[in-house]
Amino acid sequence: MAKRITFGVTYQKYGYVTVELPREIKTETEALEFIKDNWDKVPLPEYAEYIPGSDELDADDVVFENILM
């Protein structure tokens, strides 16, 4: 039987999102505050690129198979 390990990996991606602003938003500062206040409603980018070197092993989320510990 093969020895296997399954583990979590986190990494970052970078992409652009466009959001329609309410009419009452008049300044760049107000626009940024609106985005910050509504961050949980902002969609993830549809097209995003992996940020090289951003990957990390999640050593707390590991499953070992067929390995005597």
Side-chain angles (χ1 to χ4, degrees):
M1 222 180 263
K3 296 178 184 180
R4 298 177 9 161
I5 182 172
T6 303
F7 53 91
V9 176
T10 59
Y11 61 93
Q12 295 181 6
K13 293 181 108 179
Y14 184 87
Y16 291 97
V17 175
T18 301
V19 174
E20 289 193 29
L21 298 170
R23 291 179 186 234
E24 61 268 13
I25 302 292
K26 303 291 185 204
T27 68
E28 292 176 0
T29 301
E30 290 174 338
L32 291 174
E33 280 301 314
F34 175 81
I35 295 300
K36 289 177 186 175
D37 292 344
N38 293 280
W39 189 249
D40 59 331
K41 298 174 191 145
V42 173
L44 293 173
E46 289 185 31
Y47 303 101
E49 293 188 29
Y50 165 74
I51 298 174
S54 68
D55 46 314
E56 295 182 17
L57 165 66
D58 181 0
D60 294 327
D61 188 16
V62 178
V63 177
F64 296 98
E65 296 177 37
N66 303 318
I67 297 176
L68 295 176
M69 309 269 309

